[in-house]
Amino acid sequence: MAKYVYNFGKDGTDGDATMKNLLGGKGANLAEMAKIGLPVPSGFTITTEVCTYFYEHGQQYPPELEAQVNEAMAAIEKTMGKKFGDHKDMPLLVSCRSGARESMPGMMDTVLNIGLNDRTVEVLAKESQDERFAWDCYRRFVQMYGDVVLDMKPKTKTDIDPFEELLEKKKEKAGVKEDSELKPEHLKELVKEFKAAVKKQTGKDFPDDPMEQVWGGIGAVFGSWMNDRAMVYRRMNGIPHDWGTAVNVQAMVFGNMGETCATGVALTRNGATGVKGITGDYLINAQGEDVVAGIRMPKRIEESLKKDMPTSWEEFSKVAMILENHYKDIQDIEFTIEKQKLWMLQTRNAKRTGFAAVRAAVDMVNEGLITPEMAIARIPANDVTQLLQPVFGGTGLKGKTPIAKGINAGPGAATGQIYFQPDEAEAAWQKDNAARIILVRRETTPEDLRGMKVASGILTSFGGAASHAALVSRQMGKACVCGCESIGIDYKAETMTVGKKVFKKGDWISVDGFTGNVYEGEVPTSPSEILQVLFEKSLKPKDAPLYQCFQQLMSWSDRFRKLGVRTNADNPKESEQAIALGAEGIGLTRTEHMFFDRIDDFRAMILAETVEAREKALKPLLKYQQEDFEGIFRAMKGRPVTIRLLDPPLHEFVPHESKDQEELAKKLGIPKAKVAQRVHELAEANPMLGHRGCRLGIVYPEITRMQATAICQAAVHVMKEGIDCHPEIMIPLVGNITEYRNQEKIIREAATKVFKDAGVTADYLVGTMIEIPRACVTADKIAESAEFFSFGTNDLTQTGLGISRDDYGSFINQYQEMDVFPADPFQTLDQDGVGGLMKIAVEKGKSTRSDIKLGICGEHGGDPASVKFCHKIGLNYVSCSPLRLPVARLAAAQAAISEKKEKTDKKAEGKCGCGCCKDCKCCPCCKCGCKG
Ligand code: PEP
Ligand code: MG
């Protein structure tokens, strides 16, 4: 019989930490904690397979599930020594929580205190000798169950939450401000009123039967897998929708049974900075949700738990270290102290910023806890870009005094306009993607996710370092200041008040997630510590601890990676910066970018009517280009430099406004009508598929000749200075070998002439961009002449998918929302389609020229998933913009490490695929070369 339910607790645990796919992260880690003897309230996990079944069978459960759940409930009762629904002794209450493979903090539903009804609440009151506690649990339970299971949560901003409305009325009537000031009789009345509200809204009585309540909770958690915010979160984080969630049903323990009780969340190292030491929030006499929801202002564990509860602190800090050493990673722990007894409710690898990820991983290697491979493998490659982001500081902050200070929950510097409502923030961003937004909220909840996503920074007046705002913004890499108590927020008036100063929606503020400071107005930023060391040289490495960690990580990455990393750079400054960030060469210089500074000379060439006139107009351009190339060659100091010949349609360079045409005509001494006529002639209905790329060089060979001459003259000039040069001349948009040969001939003739005249020969290559499907499928032919291929995946995506790279913005958001595309194909390579074309080109290219040099220079060269794909299909290098180089280096190392691991795993399983025998375990004796 299929097993759908796995028990955990001190009397027997079925699962362990390796079973995340089946038990979800929470379930697998609860099992692991119970297995290593930590105090975990007993419970059971319903597997993710049930979730899949649930959605595949019209929200029905497998028939075997009911009996397995009943059996598991009985096991909890036995271990905890309490009965579910007990009317005589202390009743067992349970919680019902989600738990996906990857944690999705706050995105799905939870129900606490299941098992309470009018009879069990009385026993709870008697046994706990705390009537208020019992009725507060009951009140919370009815409210939570109503919201989550009975779907009474308000759907829009203007909907009224019936429970909140009743609660407010009750407080008003009782003359109190806080929920905690309500007396047992108020809570009793509230429960009655809440139940009446349930009846009114749903037409049904609130369920009294504890088992019916459990099934309600289970259904709600599975149902929440498909709620809007969970789907948005999965899309943002690349979590497949078909993974499903597990459900964890667990005995309740209480942090709200008086002053010897507490509940909290803690990290074993700081999730914002990575610095070692427990940090976190706790509340005395409270239930877990209060801490993360930011409803009451929590206390800092590192500041006061030791003083408030010395024995529990000691036990807790020991357990926290056991967990970190066991998992060898920063742990994010939820715990409850019930009458001084510590209970562990959850542990998981902590969400962290890029800063914390790098710092903690490097520290852990230096502490001997993990290996460099493990450090590399665990850092999301994209996150290292956070370390290069600008910060406030230097002159930017001169004369500025912070207007408020909160908790520095997400490092980074952000300046933007205040928005209070997430949906308005999202709408503003959709109107203008460059809009800079600071989302200002009292606290954030998972519903705010869409607004947080588009904000540059987040500011909350409530909630600590473990609040939802802190957690999520850290993961998104957004600057976040939370718990900034000195700001008053009025959503209705759309104002934020600090002292006497009132800020309105749209006003500019700045938040510093490193220090927790908030500033009025826009604050200019300065470069990150790493760029101050590497680019500006204004900071010495020894004074820059973050730089040291970064550098350590990069040097490990370089040790493991097999892929080369190059940069896309168009001038000496970019080239130097790229070398500082690890570039081993240039993978793409777009020569047209060099014309922008000499646009009128270039326009004169375009307007020339005869070959002679064009050649004359090309002369000054040759001089400029040669100077530019010399600068790049000097900066690259002998590293290979791939220079692409002119690519864009000429129409992009001519003036389109009548006024500008008139000015140009005057400068060139020709009639304006002539300029206008040429502009008209150059116009194309679909310029991206028009007269561009090698088609320009074929129709105007003198342009190719000029560029090849400039490259070769620059090379010999620089070589005469004693600097080595390795130009790689690249022909764009080739689809046919005849196009390639046409251009190659011009290039080689120009090179031969230059070298002969100079008496110096540069070691140069001629190759092509592979960016249209025909080039891929005829790559064997093209490789007869081409010495290298560089995949131009921007155009290959455009032409392969038939989607205009300039026009896809109008539908891509919807495509992603509807899961038509898993990701933006212009950012992350479409591996099946475009990747398939690349594989064909690699195979065919190598079949003709086994040592053909293969690279990528489209935007995908800096995208981690795409870099890993490039490693897999055997490219020699990836090329990306300078600031993406650390991402590429790390992703390339990750690809190499995971390939090695895959091979080792396969060998261990006897599936190394050497094909020499049925069971590869005998590999040592054969000659398959797999070194089994
Ligand atoms: C490409 O098409 O991927 C490429 C690098 O060239 P461009 O973006 O200049 O067309
Ligand atoms: Mg291109």
Side-chain angles (χ1 to χ4, degrees), residues 259-280:
E259 295 304 304
T260 56
C261 303
T263 185
V265 291
L267 263 61
T268 51
R269 299 184 193 223
N270 189 309
T273 62
V275 172
K276 192 172 180 175
I278 294 173
T279 56

Side-chain angles (χ1 to χ4, degrees), residues 644 647 692 733 769 771 792 794-795 805:
R644 183 182 71 187
D647 181 6
R692 59 168 287 217
L733 219 74
M769 300 275 291
E771 50 188 346
N794 304 333
D795 274 310
R805 58 196 271 190

Side-chain angles (χ1 to χ4, degrees), residues 626-867:
Q626 184 179 327
E627 279 166 14
D628 288 338
F629 297 139
E630 283 173 15
I632 291 176
F633 289 145
R634 282 189 198 102
M636 293 309 291
K637 297 190 178 74
R639 294 173 181 86
V641 177
T642 310
I643 299 169
R644 183 182 71 187
L645 303 181
L646 187 66
D647 181 6
L650 297 183
H651 191 248
E652 279 189 13
F653 298 92
V654 289
H656 298 99
E657 298 287 325
S658 163
K659 177 173 82 32
D660 299 333
Q661 290 177 357
E662 196 164 329
E663 236 171 67
L664 180 66
K666 232 189 245 161
K667 257 189 214 162
L668 302 180
I670 55 173
K672 185 200 159 198
K674 212 167 216 174
V675 177
Q677 189 199 334
R678 186 72 178 128
V679 172
H680 180 73
E681 280 165 14
L682 289 171
E684 291 175 307
N686 195 346
M688 272 286 129
L689 298 180
H691 196 181
R692 59 168 287 217
C694 63
R695 298 158 203 169
L696 285 173
I698 289 170
V699 175
Y700 305 114
E702 49 283 359
I703 299 180
T704 301
R705 196 170 305 117
M706 179 279 284
Q707 290 200 294
T709 305
I711 295 167
C712 294
Q713 284 184 174
V716 296
H717 198 170
V718 171
M719 283 168 75
K720 283 183 180 170
E721 292 169 14
I723 301 168
D724 203 8
C725 272
H726 296 282
E728 298 178 349
I729 304 174
M730 183 154 75
I731 306 167
L733 219 74
V734 163
N736 197 311
I737 180 64
T738 50
E739 290 176 317
Y740 181 87
R741 288 203 177 121
N742 173 296
Q743 291 293 283
E744 187 197 15
K745 185 165 176 284
I746 299 168
I747 294 165
R748 294 215 185 265
E749 279 171 5
T752 308
K753 182 169 181 326
V754 171
F755 298 150
K756 193 165 162 241
D757 291 350
V760 177
T761 300
D763 163 31
Y764 78 105
L765 300 178
V766 183
T768 179
M769 300 275 291
I770 297 285
E771 50 188 346
I772 44 181
R774 194 181 191 284
C776 296
V777 295
T778 61
D780 47 347
K781 270 266 157 229
I782 296 173
E784 285 172 9
S785 301
E787 291 171 307
F788 67 87
F789 287 170
S790 177
F791 288 98
T793 44
N794 304 333
D795 274 310
L796 193 57
T797 300
Q798 169 166 262
T799 50
L801 267 62
I803 293 179
S804 160
R805 58 196 271 190
D806 298 318
D807 301 309
Y808 80 115
S810 60
F811 61 87
I812 188 65
N813 282 346
Q814 208 163 336
Y815 254 48
Q816 283 186 260
E817 290 258 332
M818 294 165 72
D819 296 314
V820 179
F821 283 173
D824 176 342
F826 287 95
Q827 287 183 26
T828 293
L829 205 61
D830 157 37
Q831 293 185 13
D832 293 340
V834 177
L837 287 168
M838 290 170 73
K839 271 197 218 161
I840 293 173
V842 169
E843 269 166 34
K844 290 203 161 209
K846 280 190 171 171
S847 72
T848 305
R849 188 186 289 266
S850 60
D851 62 347
I852 190 163
K853 210 181 226 189
L854 300 166
I856 178 174
C857 62
E859 286 311 295
H860 307 88
D863 167 69
S866 312
V867 170

